[in-house]
Amino acid sequence: MVSRRELKQAARHKLRGHWGQAISLNIIQIILAIIASIGFAFIGGVIFGALIYLFFHPDLTSYQYNNLGFLSHNNIVAGFNNNILNFIITMLVEFVAVGALFTMLDWFRTDNANFSATRGMFSIYTKKYFLATLCLYLIMYIFLSLWSILLLFPAIIKHYSYAQTYFIYKDELNAHPDDRPSYLNCITQSRELMDGHKTQLFLLDLSFIAGASWGSLLAGLLVSGSSLITKPAKLIFTVVCAAKP
């Protein structure tokens, strides 16, 4: 199996001379990474400031939760609505990421970087892919939620087991355009492909997120920049994994 270092070197080789295309294709996720890093820094500062304030005003801690309105009906309803909204936004952004990955996969397989980044980002929002991607997302979400009921660790394992699902669907559909692939079969094939490879993909992800814990604008730039290497490296991993006898 190809080492992580070789995957990263291969990714850089693929990107050489085409960094502009890679940035354009991932611009939405780059912006979101920077915004998220600023948000985390702001939230961390607010929490730290609140703890300091409570430390010097211990009498505030004597209030009951209900007096603060934490369990009021309106707050519960608002929290539920926010969860639904966050779920929908996360799903739609995930579709943009999948579209970018599909475009990069075609790019790497053909060595043809002459494509529209905008069309590539939103390629999932077409009749060909949207319904299938939505169904696959929801099925995997349900499966991972059920696994997470047991413990976090099994859910993480299954997350990596399902890592090739979208790519398998894409290849099966292109190979048999008149016969829609079974969603559950795509997930099953992903589990089979990832057998013996989950740890390597996990370590590949882990090698790119060290800067994420800084919680600053610099971290956002680093994480978004490293993602330009992460995705190609993971796609090359996908190609190697798919070639497993």
Side-chain angles (χ1 to χ4, degrees), residues 141-202:
Y141 180 86
I142 293 171
F143 284 176
L144 290 173
S145 297
L146 292 174
W147 278 106
S148 65
I149 293 175
L150 299 177
L151 278 174
L152 179 62
F153 187 67
I156 294 175
I157 293 176
K158 287 301 177 181
H159 167 77
Y160 284 97
S161 294
Y162 303 155
Q164 308 302 324
T165 301
Y166 293 123
F167 302 124
I168 291 172
Y169 181 86
K170 169 182 166 62
D171 287 346
E172 289 290 325
L173 183 62
N174 289 337
H176 309 285
D178 297 326
D179 185 17
R180 287 276 175 176
S182 165
Y183 303 141
L184 292 178
N185 283 345
C186 290
I187 294 175
T188 300
Q189 289 182 51
S190 178
R191 288 195 291 104
E192 293 171 351
L193 276 177
M194 291 302 294
D195 186 25
H197 299 291
K198 291 185 285 292
T199 300
Q200 186 183 16
L201 185 55
F202 171 73

Side-chain angles (χ1 to χ4, degrees), residues 14 32 48 54 58 73 93 107 120 123 139 152 166 175 195 216 220:
K14 285 288 186 180
L32 288 176
F48 180 75
L54 289 174
H73 174 74
V93 172
W107 166 16
S123 59
I139 292 171
L152 179 62
Y166 293 123
D195 186 25
S216 62

Side-chain angles (χ1 to χ4, degrees), residues 23-154:
I23 293 172
S24 299
L25 193 57
N26 294 277
I27 189 64
I28 290 179
Q29 295 156 79
I30 291 174
I31 293 173
L32 288 176
I34 294 174
I35 293 175
S37 67
I38 296 174
F40 287 139
F42 175 77
I43 292 172
V46 170
I47 293 175
F48 180 75
L51 291 175
I52 293 297
Y53 187 82
L54 289 174
F55 178 79
F56 288 105
H57 298 81
D59 54 302
L60 291 177
T61 61
S62 63
Y63 285 109
Q64 298 297 322
Y65 286 113
N66 284 336
N67 291 336
L68 294 176
F70 289 158
L71 299 180
S72 69
H73 174 74
N74 290 338
N75 282 351
I76 292 175
V77 172
F80 179 75
N81 291 336
N82 285 337
N83 286 336
I84 293 178
L85 180 61
N86 289 337
F87 175 82
I88 294 174
I89 292 175
T90 301
M91 180 178 65
L92 296 178
V93 172
E94 172 78 4
F95 289 0
V96 174
V98 174
L101 286 170
F102 279 7
T103 304
M104 293 184 79
L105 184 61
D106 290 336
W107 166 16
F108 285 7
R109 285 173 168 171
T110 62
D111 287 326
N112 180 13
N114 185 23
F115 57 82
S116 168
T118 302
R119 183 176 298 176
M121 278 191 294
F122 296 102
S123 59
I124 297 301
Y125 293 93
T126 60
K127 182 179 178 180
K128 181 178 181 180
Y129 289 123
F130 183 79
L131 179 60
T133 306
L134 174 62
C135 291
L136 288 171
Y137 181 89
L138 293 176
I139 292 171
M140 289 189 288
Y141 180 86
I142 293 171
F143 284 176
L144 290 173
S145 297
L146 292 174
W147 278 106
S148 65
I149 293 175
L150 299 177
L151 278 174
L152 179 62
F153 187 67

